[in-house]
Amino acid sequence: MNRHLARGLLVLTALSLSGCAAFSPDSGMSGVSELTSQTINKDVAFVRTADGAATVDARVRQLLAKTLSVDAAVQIALLNNKGLQAAYNELALAETDLVEQSLPPNPVFSISRISGNGASEIERQVVGDILALATLPFRSDIARERFRQAQLRAALGTLRLATEVRRAYVRAVAGNEMVALLTDAKATAESTAQLAVKLGETGSINKLDQAREQVFYAETTADLATARQTATSARERLARLMGLWDGGLDFRLPNQLPPLPRRPQALPSIETDAVAHRIDLQIARLELNALAKSLSLTEATRFVTLLDLAGISRRTRDPEGAPFRERGFDVQFQIPIFDGGEVRVRQAAETYNLAFNRLTERAVNVRSEARDAYRTYRSTYDIASHYQREIIPLRKIITEEMQLRFSSMQVDIFALLTEARQRLASLRGAIDARQRFFLAQSDLQTAVNGGGAAAFDGDAPTTIAAAAPADAGH
């Protein structure tokens, strides 16, 4: 009988080993690459060797050698940002958990020797956790769900970084454009202020008009200083996101934002697309699925939380008789007198219900976020387009007409300067409108595919008392 038990233990162990997971060559990065390439169409790399680091450095230097585009900035960040590499390290750690959970528990071998009065007894035992072996396929399946969640979280981190880089890039380039505009405006205001001082000395203008020109110059100077600080901070943030050391801060950016697209995107089914593609929703669905399997396993093992089988071999030597050998087995299990597993089942059930409600809430929010992001996108496009088609051309006409009237002495210089101030305000408004549009465009992509900076509670896996009973692997 002891032989049959040992053979049964070996067969069960062999069957369990046949379903064990193994380490993948890329630590699950292929899944991350597939998810992100559908959205941002950029290369991702998990740098683990010196050769890989050298390849990444060469690619980064190649991209930095040219004037930086938004796509190039995103690509540099995806290759060079160490925070993203740390997220990929977490994915590799999640794979180790998967492999660990798919391995059967090691058998425990013990040997003891007792002697006295010339007699001795040697006992050997091999103990196997039968419950852990029996539940191994279920625990392994749950671990695979967790690993898939880890892949989605790594992809979500990749998309979030790409979104942050795009937003930082837009702000940095818009900052450069604003600095250039205000630099020209300051030079004009300075000349005007100097002219006003000279005219004031001759008595051609009063103190009020002279003060107006001087305060415009002073305000423009302050605005330029503020714009320079804003542009510098935006550039520094972009450099941080791209993972550049101080030697890479001399990268070149365009002097102005790109023109608006000819027509805005038409997304009639944006809510459906968001619910289908949002990675945070996919993570929440996998979490709910894993919790459902954990609940089923907890219900199935609520009464049996300990089941150990031991094969025993004992050899006894007595000086008064011939030595003899004994063989047998030992079974240990818990009697559910006080704890029938109701607490564990209730905890698993409530955890599942919590995850279900979180998923439902998130789905509602995703639909609303998608609608709001598209409305903002269309609104900012219309505003920026209005500046581009109506306001700026009209301002140009006004400037030209005022210059003609000034040349023919129909208006004085102060009317011309007043119009220049108004034109400056319109140009600043146009830059700000285009910046808001490109930021809204990035937010729209985030609303459909995920990748926003704000995480929700369901991103982190809800922990419950394990896929198997707590005592199963004692």
Side-chain angles (χ1 to χ4, degrees), residues 101 135 138-139 142-143 146 290-291 293-299 301 344 347-348 351 462-473:
Q101 290 297 324
T135 59
F138 303 98
R139 292 186 290 112
I142 295 172
R146 299 294 189 199
L291 289 173
K293 293 178 180 179
S294 297
L295 175 59
S296 298
L297 184 58
T298 302
E299 290 175 339
T301 59
R344 292 187 299 112
Q347 288 175 338
T351 305
T462 307
T463 56
I464 63 171
D471 297 330

Side-chain angles (χ1 to χ4, degrees), residues 242-253:
M242 292 192 296
L244 299 180
W245 202 250
D246 54 359
L249 295 181
D250 57 348
F251 58 88
R252 299 191 303 274
L253 290 173

Side-chain angles (χ1 to χ4, degrees), residues 21-31 45-49 88 91-92 95-96 98-99 147 151:
F23 289 106
S24 60
D26 59 355
S27 300
M29 283 298 298
S30 58
F46 186 15
V47 182
R48 309 178 71 178
T49 64
Y88 295 158
L91 175 60
E95 188 180 39
T96 64
L98 168 62
V99 174
F147 178 64
Q151 286 182 305

Side-chain angles (χ1 to χ4, degrees), residues 326-345:
E326 299 172 295
R327 294 183 178 86
F329 67 92
D330 177 64
V331 178
Q332 292 187 18
F333 59 90
Q334 229 176 33
I335 301 176
I337 297 177
F338 304 107
D339 182 7
E342 182 179 354
V343 174
R344 292 187 299 112
V345 172

Side-chain angles (χ1 to χ4, degrees), residues 281-292:
L281 276 182
Q282 295 181 45
I283 293 174
R285 292 188 191 104
L286 284 175
E287 176 67 12
L288 190 67
N289 191 29
L291 289 173

Side-chain angles (χ1 to χ4, degrees), residues 81-384:
N81 185 283
K82 300 307 178 185
L84 184 61
Q85 292 297 312
Y88 295 158
N89 289 130
E90 292 178 355
L91 175 60
L93 288 174
E95 188 180 39
T96 64
D97 293 337
L98 168 62
V99 174
E100 181 183 25
Q101 290 297 324
S102 66
L103 294 174
N106 292 324
V108 178
F109 175 78
S110 66
I111 181 170
S112 62
R113 182 178 184 276
I114 302 174
S115 62
N117 296 328
S120 65
E121 181 179 281
I122 299 175
E123 181 177 291
R124 303 177 183 86
Q125 289 191 35
V126 178
V127 183
D129 191 340
I130 302 301
L131 183 60
L133 285 173
T135 59
L136 180 60
F138 303 98
R139 292 186 290 112
S140 179
D141 192 24
I142 295 172
R144 285 188 177 87
E145 296 280 353
R146 299 294 189 199
F147 178 64
R148 179 59 177 166
Q149 281 182 273
Q151 286 182 305
L152 290 174
R153 282 194 293 272
L156 186 61
T158 304
L159 294 180
R160 283 177 175 168
L161 177 61
T163 297
E164 290 176 11
V165 171
R166 289 181 182 276
R167 294 178 66 84
Y169 180 90
V170 168
R171 289 193 171 101
V173 175
N176 287 349
E177 189 172 357
M178 189 67 74
V179 167
L181 175 66
L182 290 175
T183 299
D184 292 340
K186 179 190 173 185
T188 302
E190 184 178 12
S191 300
T192 304
Q194 292 174 354
L195 176 61
V197 170
K198 293 179 180 179
L199 293 175
E201 292 174 352
T202 62
S204 299
I205 64 172
N206 57 40
K207 289 185 177 181
L208 177 61
D209 291 333
Q210 184 178 348
R212 284 172 178 167
E213 301 309 321
Q214 290 174 343
V215 78
F216 175 63
Y217 170 63
E219 289 174 347
T220 305
T221 302
D223 289 346
L224 176 59
T226 302
R228 283 175 174 165
Q229 177 57 49
T230 301
T232 302
S233 297
R235 184 183 180 89
E236 286 286 355
R237 174 165 175 76
L238 179 60
R240 289 197 302 271
L241 292 172
M242 292 192 296
L244 299 180
W245 202 250
D246 54 359
L249 295 181
D250 57 348
F251 58 88
R252 299 191 303 274
L253 290 173
N255 295 324
Q256 59 184 11
L257 291 169
L260 295 175
R262 291 185 176 181
R263 59 181 61 87
Q265 292 177 268
L267 300 174
S269 58
I270 185 172
E271 296 176 47
T272 304
D273 293 340
V275 172
H277 298 132
R278 281 284 288 259
I279 292 183
D280 48 5
L281 276 182
Q282 295 181 45
I283 293 174
R285 292 188 191 104
L286 284 175
E287 176 67 12
L288 190 67
N289 191 29
L291 289 173
K293 293 178 180 179
S294 297
L295 175 59
S296 298
L297 184 58
T298 302
E299 290 175 339
T301 59
R302 62 177 299 179
F303 297 112
V304 182
T305 58
L306 172 65
L307 181 59
D308 288 351
L309 175 63
I312 303 173
S313 175
R314 182 182 301 157
R315 185 174 184 273
T316 303
R317 177 178 295 177
D318 192 334
E320 298 180 357
F324 60 93
R325 185 182 299 275
E326 299 172 295
R327 294 183 178 86
F329 67 92
D330 177 64
V331 178
Q332 292 187 18
F333 59 90
Q334 229 176 33
I335 301 176
I337 297 177
F338 304 107
D339 182 7
E342 182 179 354
V343 174
R344 292 187 299 112
V345 172
R346 181 65 64 87
Q347 288 175 338
E350 291 304 323
T351 305
Y352 173 83
N353 292 334
L354 182 151
F356 175 80
N357 288 325
R358 292 291 189 194
L359 174 60
T360 305
E361 177 195 31
R362 190 58 190 162
V364 171
N365 292 344
V366 162
R367 290 174 62 89
S368 175
E369 290 168 7
R371 293 192 300 266
D372 186 55
Y374 186 69
R375 280 194 295 264
T376 303
Y377 166 80
R378 284 304 308 266
S379 175
T380 54
Y381 178 85
D382 292 339
I383 294 171

